[in-house]
Amino acid sequence: MKTIIKKPHIFFLSLIPLFILVGYIQKGNVIDVTIYNTFFAVKTHYWCYFSAVFISLISLNYYALNWAKKPTIPILSLFHIIFQVAALIPFLFCVFFLNTKTIFTSNFLSNSVDFYAILSVSYVLFIISICLHVLNFSLALFRKNS
């Protein structure tokens, strides 16, 4: 765990193939997003590929700090990773079960789980993790080396 906190770019580099794989597997699913009276239908693999690019940029930020020998703040790195994983788990749950047509999902999940509420929670956790990343990156960049 200390290695992940000291070098978070390794953790985020390991997430990139996961998102690409999930995007490849769940190519046919569609997430319908409703904003007021406007409906958007976005294929799941676009979300996953965008997430892979975004995670690679986060990894590049952390690697740049490591390369410049600017240490990150360990507690902020830890919370960033925790919130990122907490946002990832419900997102992957919804991606895998959102538009599946099996007996299990039609009988159990469709009636008892609000996928869009889960996606909303995942989005909020993701925004919090990004705010923590920007704060951690900025503080590490402008801090003097000790």
Side-chain angles (χ1 to χ4, degrees):
M1 190 67 181
K2 287 186 179 186
T3 305
I4 292 174
I5 294 172
K6 287 186 179 183
K7 296 182 180 183
H9 62 278
I10 295 171
F11 171 74
F12 288 105
L13 274 176
S14 67
L15 287 179
I16 295 169
L18 174 73
F19 278 110
I20 293 172
L21 181 68
V22 168
Y24 184 73
I25 292 171
Q26 297 293 327
K27 221 172 210 179
N29 288 357
V30 175
I31 296 177
D32 296 323
V33 180
T34 306
I35 301 174
Y36 296 107
N37 291 328
T38 307
F39 301 98
F40 299 100
V42 181
K43 292 202 174 210
T44 305
H45 67 277
Y46 291 130
W47 288 97
C48 292
Y49 296 152
F50 175 75
S51 298
V53 169
F54 197 77
I55 294 295
S56 67
L57 292 175
I58 291 172
S59 177
L60 184 66
N61 279 345
Y62 277 125
Y63 181 74
L65 287 176
N66 189 26
W67 178 69
K69 297 188 181 0
K70 297 277 191 177
T72 60
I73 299 169
I75 193 73
L76 285 178
S77 294
L78 176 68
F79 281 125
H80 176 221
I81 290 170
I82 288 172
F83 276 101
Q84 193 73 40
V85 169
L88 176 69
I89 291 170
F91 174 76
L92 290 177
F93 174 78
C94 286
V95 165
F96 277 113
F97 290 116
L98 189 60
N99 286 328
T100 53
K101 305 291 183 209
T102 63
I103 296 170
F104 173 73
T105 57
S106 64
N107 290 340
F108 174 70
L109 290 177
S110 299
N111 298 330
S112 62
V113 176
D114 185 10
F115 288 110
Y116 301 108
I118 294 172
L119 281 174
S120 298
V121 168
S122 176
Y123 178 74
V124 168
L125 290 172
F126 181 73
I127 294 297
I128 291 170
S129 75
I130 295 306
C131 291
L132 288 172
H133 169 67
V134 169
L135 181 66
N136 193 9
F137 183 77
S138 301
L139 289 177
L141 192 62
F142 296 119
R143 199 168 61 162
K144 291 183 181 180
N145 289 344
S146 305

